[in-house]
Amino acid sequence: VSEQNPETAKHPLPEATRHRLLVEWNGARQDYPVRCIHHLFEIQADQTPDTIAVVDENEQLTYQQLNERANRLAHYLQDLGVGPNDVVAICLERSVEMVVGILAIFKAGGTYLPLDAAYPQERLALMLQDAHVPVLLTQQQLLKRLPEPTGDVVCLDTIQTKLAQQTPSPPNSDVTPDHLAYILYTSGSTNKPKGVAVTHASLSLYIQSIQKPLGVVPEDVYLHTASFSFSASMRQLMLPLCSGARLVVASETQRHDSTALFELIKQQHVTIWDTVPSIWRYGLKALGNLPKTTQRNLLDNQLRSIFTTGEPLRWETVRTWRDTFEQHVQVVNLYSQTETTGTVCIYPIPIDFDQETGIVPLGRPVENTQVYLLDEQRQLVPIGEVGEVYI
């Protein structure tokens, strides 16, 4: 970022020039409708009701089917008393049901808190206690892996008959864009985990701000591989569903088996793979160990874009893909933070790049986002000097 930062403390620029460069550097202001995130999805569902919205290894739903199933569950949650800012913890297998559950919590007016059953029970208990969770949405087979809940427990696999009796029409809710959409907890590597609370306004504006620069269109098939406990999962979930694209939810097995993941990409005609560099590197290594004919078969797919985030991306990884497998895919490096809802910088990697080693740049800020490099006194650092990123 620093190489392109037009501000310099040691070599001041004329005010007009500095203003122009800052405008060019930082994200342009763009006024989007401020809505709740599920309203963006509902608009899309009304426009393309018969288009496939979500797919897992066992079933698929159209936009209308997904919308109606989420509505039924939302009514059920409201009957339990869920309303604006009420936290609903959700722990489900990676499937269509997870997508239904998250949308239903939004529609009921609640705030969703994802629980990863693989986490230690002590961490899960801290999250449940800290967030004051009145309702837990899960499945029977996962209950034994979770701490003893203190509120209502809803097992989706035991209430299907009751859900069928609920109306498929949208529920009435007092939720507004200022209410919370979700809470994600940080890793706690420097202290105990902290809950980052994100409003509907922040989430919906974020999704609208990245839709254009990332170029997601209704014809796309978007692969979801992120843990639902990470902020990247929201981008992988709501960006395709608010764009009219098809969402493919990879199973837990496919997430951890690189060959199975490439088979899924080919089978489901995936066009966008949103991942982290380490998983991408594992995938390249797995491909490299396969016979050439198998490699060519798996890479004979519809993949057109790879989004990477969460870790520094090295030029060597991009070069290996380009030089070894010769598949023409646009690679886009994303810089994201849980505390800022998601992606704040985007860098589309040029096809003709000539870098051999080092780290791929973070790129430029997205719309409605300003990024600065500051020193310890929070003053802008000169071009080329090290600073701390302020978003």
Side-chain angles (χ1 to χ4, degrees):
V1 174
S2 62
E3 293 177 350
Q4 302 172 52
N5 193 331
E7 280 281 14
T8 168
K10 294 182 179 179
H11 308 287
L13 297 168
E15 186 64 29
T17 303
R18 181 159 72 168
H19 176 75
R20 177 179 60 81
L21 291 177
L22 277 174
V23 170
E24 291 177 358
W25 159 247
N26 269 315
R29 178 175 175 81
Q30 181 67 48
D31 292 324
Y32 290 106
V34 182
R35 296 187 172 100
C36 292
I37 188 64
H38 55 283
H39 292 156
L40 294 180
F41 163 73
E42 290 169 349
I43 291 170
Q44 187 60 55
D46 287 341
Q47 293 175 348
T48 57
D50 299 323
T51 300
I52 300 299
V54 59
V55 178
D56 65 18
E57 57 184 349
N58 296 314
E59 66 175 326
Q60 64 181 32
L61 297 178
T62 65
Y63 272 86
Q64 180 174 334
Q65 290 170 332
L66 175 59
N67 194 31
E68 290 182 350
R69 190 181 291 189
N71 287 339
R72 293 180 190 274
L73 180 55
H75 283 291
Y76 186 90
L77 292 174
Q78 286 185 332
D79 290 343
L80 294 176
V82 174
N85 284 350
D86 288 329
V87 180
V88 179
I90 182 169
C91 182
L92 298 170
E93 300 286 357
R94 295 184 58 84
S95 65
V96 164
E97 290 293 352
M98 186 68 173
V99 180
V100 171
I102 291 174
L103 288 174
I105 295 170
F106 288 154
K107 287 169 172 281
T111 302
Y112 98 86
L113 168 65
L115 301 180
D116 190 330
Y119 283 173
Q121 287 216 357
E122 297 79 19
R123 175 182 168 89
L124 296 175
L126 183 151
M127 294 161 62
L128 289 169
Q129 180 181 10
D130 187 62
H132 306 289
V133 175
V135 177
L136 170 62
L137 184 61
T138 186
Q139 293 158 322
Q140 278 190 311
Q141 69 268 24
L142 296 176
L143 271 178
K144 61 184 178 182
R145 297 161 63 181
L146 299 173
E148 186 70 28
T150 57
D152 291 318
V153 177
V154 179
C155 290
L156 275 183
D157 44 348
T158 65
I159 62 167
Q160 292 303 309
T161 301
K162 294 180 180 179
L163 290 180
Q165 298 169 358
Q166 297 284 350
T167 174
S169 60
N172 294 320
S173 171
D174 294 329
V175 66
T176 71
D178 291 330
H179 284 118
L180 297 183
Y182 65 83
I183 298 174
L184 294 181
Y185 277 79
T186 60
S187 63
S189 56
T190 57
N191 204 329
K192 76 173 188 177
K194 298 178 180 65
V196 177
V198 175
T199 64
H200 279 270
S202 292
L203 180 55
S204 63
L205 289 173
Y206 162 57
I207 293 299
Q208 292 175 91
S209 294
I210 63 174
Q211 193 169 11
K212 182 178 178 181
L214 292 183
V216 179
V217 295
E219 293 75 25
D220 277 317
V221 180
Y222 202 117
L223 182 60
H224 192 298
T225 57
S227 165
F228 282 95
S229 295
F230 293 164
S231 60
S233 70
M234 266 293 98
R235 178 182 63 252
Q236 295 183 17
L237 178 67
M238 298 312 302
L239 181 55
L241 290 181
C242 293
S243 304
R246 180 179 302 191
L247 174 68
V248 176
V249 181
S251 68
E252 201 65 42
T253 299
Q254 290 164 335
R255 287 181 68 224
H256 295 97
D257 184 330
S258 298
T259 302
L261 198 60
F262 276 101
E263 290 173 347
L264 177 65
I265 289 172
K266 180 179 176 65
Q267 176 190 9
Q268 292 293 340
H269 308 291
V270 169
T271 60
I272 297 177
W273 180 19
D274 192 332
T275 186
V276 295
S278 55
I279 291 182
W280 192 18
R281 289 195 301 271
Y282 296 147
L284 294 180
K285 184 176 180 180
L287 278 177
N289 292 332
L290 296 174
K292 293 295 183 182
T293 54
T294 305
Q295 287 182 25
R296 287 194 293 270
N297 180 56
L298 288 177
L299 292 175
D300 182 19
N301 55 42
Q302 303 300 311
L303 198 62
R304 70 171 184 84
S305 291
I306 295 176
F307 303 155
T308 71
T309 189
E311 305 165 4
L313 175 64
R314 302 196 65 84
W315 285 110
E316 296 94 312
T317 302
V318 188
R319 179 173 289 279
T320 298
W321 178 273
R322 187 187 70 176
D323 295 348
T324 305
F325 301 107
E326 300 180 353
Q327 190 183 35
H328 299 292
V329 174
Q330 172 69 68
V331 180
V332 183
N333 194 29
L334 312 180
Y335 179 56
S336 305
Q337 292 291 331
T338 302
E339 293 83 354
T340 59
T341 308
T343 302
V344 293
C345 290
I346 294 177
Y347 182 71
I349 297 177
I351 297 297
D352 58 350
F353 75 89
D354 58 3
Q355 282 81 354
E356 294 286 342
T357 61
I359 296 175
V360 174
L362 302 182
R364 293 193 172 209
V366 299
E367 294 172 338
N368 299 318
T369 302
Q370 289 77 47
V371 176
Y372 301 96
L373 289 185
L374 307 183
D375 60 21
E376 292 180 354
Q377 286 73 44
R378 298 189 182 182
Q379 299 298 310
L380 290 155
V381 300
I383 292 173
E385 291 195 9
V386 174
E388 194 163 11
V389 176
Y390 277 68
I391 303 167

